Amino acid sequence: DTGVSQDPRHKITKRGQNVTFRCDPISEHNRLYWYRQTLGQGPEFLTYFQNEAQLEKSRLLSDRFSAERPKGSFSTLEIQRTEQGDSAMYLCASSLVSSGGEQFFGPGTRLTVL
Amino acid sequence: RKEVEQDPGPFNVPEGATVAFNCTYSNSASQSFFWYRQDCRKEPKLLMSVYSSGNEDGRFTAQLNRASQYISLLIRDSKLSDSATYLCVENTNAGKSTFGDGTTLTVKP
């Protein structure tokens, strides 16, 4: 399968715990995006990378959220001290800079914070 | 006011109907626009890009009006399989994407 993959697909955690999600983009794609989506809402932009550089981070994102893309390939999103309000679907997408912004999404990681 | 606004619907139409969705955006610097389709509990999938000159892909037609800052999607001859949520998205030149909250379409037999 050459699409975007995400791991894990589901995560249940207790409030206050740290969680880390992984995204593997389409191999030749140089841009990688993280979004959060809750029921009835569209994907909410969190951050994006071009190669290994993190170019923008949403102002809505608290300091508990951090993302990395150390070698310009896969990326991780970590949430520290999780809160119930963090419960959502976390989506990753990738694209080619030259494609004009067409993004391809992974299946998402569904996070439930108890 | 949200940066990208869509009528949430739901739009309930019979098979074979023509239905149109609009999406307005507030960032005049937006560079590119797309429509995505999202099925229940699935990830968004790219439906089509949107160009100022208008573009068509089978039963789907997309249009961009920069002066009025809106994009549209027209679906002709609706099929049951078209039932989904349709998301519009605008991208800035810097690469940031902003999605609308989607319009829900239900096509009924």
Side-chain angles (χ1 to χ4, degrees), chain B residues 18-32:
Chain B
T18 295
V19 61
F21 309 136
N22 282 340
C23 170
T24 60
Y25 62 95
S26 59
N27 185 358
S28 58
S30 298
Q31 290 294 313
S32 56

Side-chain angles (χ1 to χ4, degrees), chain A residues 35 37 42 48 100 102-103 106, chain B residues 32 36 38 43 49 94-95 97 101:
Chain A
Y35 295 90
Q37 187 175 27
Y48 90 98
E102 296 178 349
Q103 297 178 37
Chain B
S32 56
Y36 283 75
Q38 187 170 28
E43 72 274 21
S49 305
S97 298
D101 286 335

Side-chain angles (χ1 to χ4, degrees), chain A residues 6-108:
Chain A
Q6 292 186 244
D7 183 70
R9 296 289 304 276
H10 303 274
K11 179 69 177 179
I12 299 174
T13 191
K14 292 182 179 179
R15 191 173 48 188
Q17 298 295 304
N18 298 345
V19 294
T20 300
F21 309 142
R22 176 178 169 126
C23 171
D24 286 88
I26 294 171
S27 58
E28 65 269 25
H29 284 187
N30 41 24
R31 280 190 175 167
L32 186 149
Y33 301 78
W34 285 101
Y35 295 90
R36 175 172 62 191
Q37 187 175 27
T38 53
L39 194 63
Q41 306 292 311
E44 177 189 12
F45 172 83
L46 295 179
T47 189
Y48 90 98
F49 294 84
Q50 183 161 316
N51 301 312
E52 65 274 12
Q54 187 173 17
L55 295 188
E56 189 158 345
K57 184 175 176 179
S58 170
R59 291 190 303 273
L60 301 174
L61 219 56
S62 76
D63 291 340
R64 296 184 297 106
F65 288 72
S66 62
E68 294 182 344
R69 193 182 184 198
K71 297 182 180 179
S73 55
F74 73 93
S75 175
T76 58
L77 176 69
E78 181 183 18
I79 309 174
Q80 297 181 326
R81 303 181 304 283
T82 52
E83 302 172 357
Q84 287 186 323
D86 296 332
S87 296
M89 176 72 83
Y90 289 83
L91 292 162
C92 174
S94 69
S95 72
L96 276 171
V97 174
S98 58
S99 71
E102 296 178 349
Q103 297 178 37
F104 296 86
F105 282 82

Side-chain angles (χ1 to χ4, degrees), chain B residues 34-90:
Chain B
F34 303 89
W35 282 100
Y36 283 75
R37 171 199 169 118
Q38 187 170 28
D39 293 293
C40 188
R41 303 184 75 82
K42 297 285 190 180
E43 72 274 21
K45 291 190 185 296
L46 180 67
L47 182 64
M48 59 196 304
S49 305
V50 188
Y51 304 118
S52 296
S53 55
N55 49 303
E56 189 173 308
D57 182 2
R59 297 181 294 107
F60 298 84
T61 301
Q63 190 81 43
L64 165 64
N65 185 318
R66 284 194 181 273
S68 301
Q69 295 189 198
Y70 78 83
I71 66 173
S72 63
L73 177 68
L74 182 76
I75 306 175
R76 289 181 300 277
D77 188 23
S78 300
K79 311 290 185 191
L80 296 177
S81 57
D82 294 334
S83 298
T85 296
Y86 291 84
L87 300 161
C88 66
V89 57
E90 58 94 4

